[in-house]
Amino acid sequence: MITVDVHLDEDSGAAMAGDVRRGLSGPRKELAPKYFYDERGSQLFEQITELPEYYPTRVEREILVERSSEIVAAAGAPATLVELGSGSAAKTRHLLSAMRDAACLRTYVPVDISEEITHETAECLVEEYPGLEIHGLVCDFEHHLERIPDRDGGRIIAFLGGTIGNLYPEPRREFLARLAAMLGPDDRLLLGTDLVKDRARLEAAYNDSAGVTAEFNKNVLSVLNRELDADFDLDAFEHVADYDADRERMDIRLRSLADQAVRVTELDLEVEFAAGEEIRTEISAKFTRQGLERIYADAGLGLAGWFTDAGADYALSLARRA
Ligand SMILES: C[S@@+](CC[C@H](N)C(=O)[O-])C[C@H]1O[C@@H](n2cnc3c(N)ncnc32)[C@H](O)[C@@H]1O
């Protein structure tokens, strides 16, 4: 009942090396958020979702608890749930249960860059949903969307957790346009987006008092130390996260606490940091309904359903190919 195809090979090692070289060589240093997620990074993200300050997971869960049946009906009761960036699929259970209750559930396709969590999730889910066929894909969804299997009986392609907010506008448009091109007439995209709100709540969510988000942020340096034989001293950087109201996005960085040089042996690269210099490690865009309708239209998609929590903090939207 479980198959997991792994599409991370030497190419992905080379892609990481290229990304990191480019990201650390320019005048504004930057690392892609997908490099947070080794086994430790996935565990830390799970801890973040349980923090009192981190409302997005709670409110997305609230919508899924209350409205999954409606969402599944609005999506035409499809047989397959594909999930991009599935992680532990903790909230996905509500959708799977609604599909089971509607007697349409056949296949779940978790797609994630982290191999460990994809295996663990698949094993738990076959126990919880007897008869469910699981076809996991370990790959980079920005590069390997075409590996997602096409299925009869319609699909929901879910992209939860606000992960779409990690993409800059142009790569986001390209990504959504590629997703739109994949959608058949019976397929729907289900997208989770955090909504614009006051700065204090946004900043608190990314600066938790227990310091878990800071540890998650610094984990990318541990990944580079291990994968590229770098010598980042994690104590020589601090976590910074603030809201850029003009661009409507959280801006998350690591700030060097001293003048320092870091060696990345595998890249034969020496990176100089001045005290106070930063590496951007993630953005997390916040959305409005109007803005998202425009984003969908630009990507060849049309809004087909809008579901929010009671406080209107977060939205799940259904989209179809325009
Ligand atoms: C913000 S977490 C969300 C996890 C889960 N969907 C949730 O809502 O709690 C992002 C997830 O996407 C995965 N991920 C991030 N970038 C990815 C990429 N480029 N390709 C595949 N998976 C990716 C991570 O491993 C992680 O499980």
Side-chain angles (χ1 to χ4, degrees), residues 145 171-182 298-301:
L145 273 185
R172 179 179 67 208
R173 194 196 57 75
E174 285 167 18
F175 178 72
L176 289 174
R178 285 172 57 216
L179 269 177
M182 276 174 55
D298 288 346
L301 290 162

Side-chain angles (χ1 to χ4, degrees), residues 34 37 45 83 85-87 91 112-113 139-141 160-161 163:
K34 64 185 164 199
Y37 294 96
F45 181 75
E83 184 175 11
S86 38
K91 288 166 277 142
D112 205 284
I113 204 157
C139 66
D140 182 336
F141 54 58
L160 306 179
T163 309

Side-chain angles (χ1 to χ4, degrees), residues 78-282:
T80 300
L81 176 61
V82 176
E83 184 175 11
L84 306 177
S86 38
S88 70
K91 288 166 277 142
T92 315
R93 265 86 167 168
H94 302 293
L95 280 173
L96 289 169
S97 297
M99 289 170 75
R100 180 191 56 200
D101 296 348
C104 60
L105 177 64
R106 260 199 326 253
T107 312
Y108 176 56
V109 182
V111 180
D112 205 284
I113 204 157
S114 169
E115 186 169 352
E116 296 82 3
I117 202 157
T118 306
H119 278 288
E120 275 166 34
T121 301
E123 273 152 33
C124 293
L125 286 175
V126 281
E127 303 259 309
E128 292 171 41
Y129 295 87
L132 179 64
E133 183 198 336
I134 301 192
H135 183 172
L137 293 179
V138 177
C139 66
D140 182 336
F141 54 58
E142 280 193 72
H143 297 295
H144 300 131
L145 273 185
E146 67 286 352
R147 304 200 186 204
I148 293 171
D150 204 355
R151 297 273 172 175
D152 295 336
R155 299 175 297 181
I156 292 179
I157 300 187
F159 194 22
L160 306 179
T163 309
I164 188 75
N166 297 154
L167 300 182
Y168 286 102
E170 186 47 28
R172 179 179 67 208
R173 194 196 57 75
E174 285 167 18
F175 178 72
L176 289 174
R178 285 172 57 216
L179 269 177
M182 276 174 55
L183 296 184
D186 296 331
D187 297 335
R188 294 288 178 273
L189 172 66
L190 177 67
L191 189 67
T193 45
D194 195 11
L195 300 178
V196 169
K197 58 182 62 60
D198 70 275
R199 172 185 297 275
R201 280 190 68 210
L202 284 167
E203 292 188 346
Y206 295 84
N207 288 288
D208 65 280
S209 49
V212 184
T213 315
E215 203 185 332
F216 174 72
N217 194 5
K218 288 186 185 189
N219 189 58
V220 74
L221 303 182
S222 305
V223 170
L224 268 46
N225 284 350
R226 188 186 60 240
E227 299 294 325
L228 298 174
D229 198 9
D231 65 357
F232 281 98
D233 171 3
L234 274 56
D235 294 330
F237 289 85
E238 69 177 345
H239 164 76
V240 185
D242 46 36
Y243 185 54
D244 178 341
D246 294 333
R247 295 185 179 80
E248 295 184 331
R249 68 191 190 202
M250 285 299 300
D251 189 344
I252 298 140
R253 286 109 58 206
L254 288 167
R255 181 180 292 152
S256 176
L257 292 171
D259 292 339
Q260 54 179 316
V262 174
R263 169 127 199 100
V264 188
T265 304
E266 287 278 316
L267 302 183
D268 195 19
L269 182 71
E270 183 106 343
V271 188
E272 307 263 346
F273 289 91
E277 192 176 347
E278 295 175 340
I279 317 172
R280 178 182 281 152
T281 49
E282 187 173 62

Side-chain angles (χ1 to χ4, degrees), residues 60 159 162 164 191-195 287 292 306 313-317:
E60 190 177 50
F159 194 22
I164 188 75
L191 189 67
T193 45
D194 195 11
L195 300 178
F287 299 85
L292 198 57
W306 180 260
D313 279 331
Y314 195 93
L316 281 176
S317 54

Side-chain angles (χ1 to χ4, degrees), residues 299-322:
L301 290 162
L303 186 69
W306 180 260
F307 306 85
T308 60
D309 56 297
D313 279 331
Y314 195 93
L316 281 176
S317 54
L318 275 177
R320 61 158 67 90
R321 192 170 170 172

